[in-house]
Amino acid sequence: MRAIGKGGAAARIFCGLMNLPPPPAKLERHNSLFLNVLKTISEDSMNAAVHEAVIANDNNSNIAVAVDGTWRKRGYSSLNGVVWATSVDNGKVIDFEALTKYCSSCLKPCENCAKNYEGFSGRMECRGYKHIFQRSETSRMLYAVSCTEDNPQHALCPLGEDSWCGYNRSIVTGEFYIHKHSLPESILLKVKKVFRDLTEKDLLKKCLHGRTQNPNESFNKCIWEQIPKTVFVGIETLKFGAMDAVICFNDGYVSRIKVFEALGIKPGYNTERALLIIDKRIFEAERIVNKVSLEARNKKKVFKKENG
């Protein structure tokens, strides 16, 4: 049931409606077995993803990654969070870290505390990144916000009555325009340095591959499909969802067959067929997106060659 984002209560309802025996009273007793299997298969998947990325990087293990994180609740008050790294070359997850500030046993004498993070929830990402990298070793807006009536700065804004720049549009239409929400000079000087650093050519060269953050956003969705944000879960279930998401994201839903086999369960024909159909739809959607992305990158290369 966890594979479809449901827990014990939903399992009991499902079994009742289908005239099946009820599930075990304490499903938690089986968590360690499931987690061990998922851990093994998800680690194999991530190791394979790393191997693919190294090969794609001319057998150089110094691969580029994109890191991201997600929380169960907004506003940096979440008790649970997941941080992960995806390969820029193949878009697959190569490592993740599940973090929690909650332990149900801490309400009484606690021997094996489930907490693995303490502090501000917004800093979970930093802690997760640190653990992941440790394991890996074994300027247009500025002008707009600094504009005033005495010092209008719209030289980089488009001209004409169709311009999104209200000041330049008012010159053509004769409309009255007032500058507002300007930044103080002291703050502007601080911010300007950051924007200049972000537009350094050496930094922008790293974006020439034309890749995006789409894999990270997709994996984010995968996690919370397994463990919906509407229900609070402990660290074991959080890891369960993250590992299952890694397996499905990297190798497709059909890879769940490996989980069945590792548990000594032989999947039936309809199970395999259903998983393959899900993957077929996903892969077709990804193929279309990748095709558009490839065409865009090729156009950029042609344009660059033609314009020196």
Side-chain angles (χ1 to χ4, degrees), residues 89-285:
D89 294 298
N90 59 26
K92 293 184 178 181
V93 179
I94 61 172
D95 203 354
F96 79 91
E97 183 80 13
L99 299 165
T100 185
K101 299 195 292 182
Y102 172 79
C103 177
S104 59
S105 300
C106 282
L107 300 176
K108 51 189 177 182
C110 182
E111 295 181 359
N112 299 313
C113 186
K115 293 180 185 178
N116 58 5
Y117 176 79
E118 290 187 4
F120 184 47
S121 297
R123 293 177 182 169
M124 279 185 177
E125 279 190 318
C126 297
R127 177 67 62 83
Y129 298 159
K130 180 180 178 181
H131 289 172
I132 288 173
F133 282 106
Q134 284 176 337
R135 284 198 294 265
S136 71
E137 295 177 354
T138 40
S139 130
R140 184 176 290 161
M141 294 171 60
L142 272 174
Y143 281 89
V145 296
S146 64
C147 291
T148 63
E149 297 300 319
D150 297 328
N151 184 31
Q153 297 187 34
H154 299 272
L156 297 180
C157 300
L159 304 173
E161 60 181 350
D162 295 327
S163 173
W164 52 260
C165 174
Y167 179 82
N168 283 347
R169 189 170 62 246
S170 68
I171 295 175
V172 178
T173 63
E175 297 175 353
F176 184 67
Y177 182 82
I178 299 177
H179 290 90
K180 53 186 178 181
H181 305 309
S182 298
L183 288 176
E185 185 70 19
S186 58
I187 295 177
L188 177 63
L189 293 174
K190 295 286 186 181
V191 176
K192 185 178 289 187
K193 182 181 183 301
V194 176
F195 273 79
R196 283 176 174 167
D197 290 342
L198 291 173
T199 55
E200 285 289 334
K201 288 185 178 180
D202 289 339
L203 179 62
L204 294 177
K205 284 179 182 178
K206 298 179 181 180
C207 301
L208 292 177
H209 50 68
R211 305 292 181 178
T212 69
Q213 279 282 92
N214 288 346
N216 282 341
E217 300 305 324
S218 298
F219 184 65
N220 186 345
K221 179 176 180 291
C222 283
I223 293 175
W224 301 117
E225 280 183 345
Q226 322 299 335
I227 41 174
K229 295 184 178 184
T230 53
V231 180
F232 180 80
V233 297
I235 187 64
E236 285 192 344
T237 304
L238 183 64
K239 288 181 178 179
F240 185 106
M243 291 175 185
D244 190 36
V246 167
I247 295 169
C248 295
F249 184 81
N250 282 358
D251 306 314
Y253 281 77
V254 72
S255 59
R256 279 177 170 163
I257 291 176
K258 296 179 182 178
V259 178
F260 283 119
E261 292 174 343
L263 291 170
I265 302 171
K266 182 176 176 56
Y269 167 78
N270 289 320
T271 299
E272 294 186 19
R273 184 170 179 271
L275 295 175
L276 286 170
I277 290 174
I278 295 172
D279 285 340
K280 184 178 180 181
R281 288 202 299 265
I282 294 174
F283 291 152
E284 180 62 20

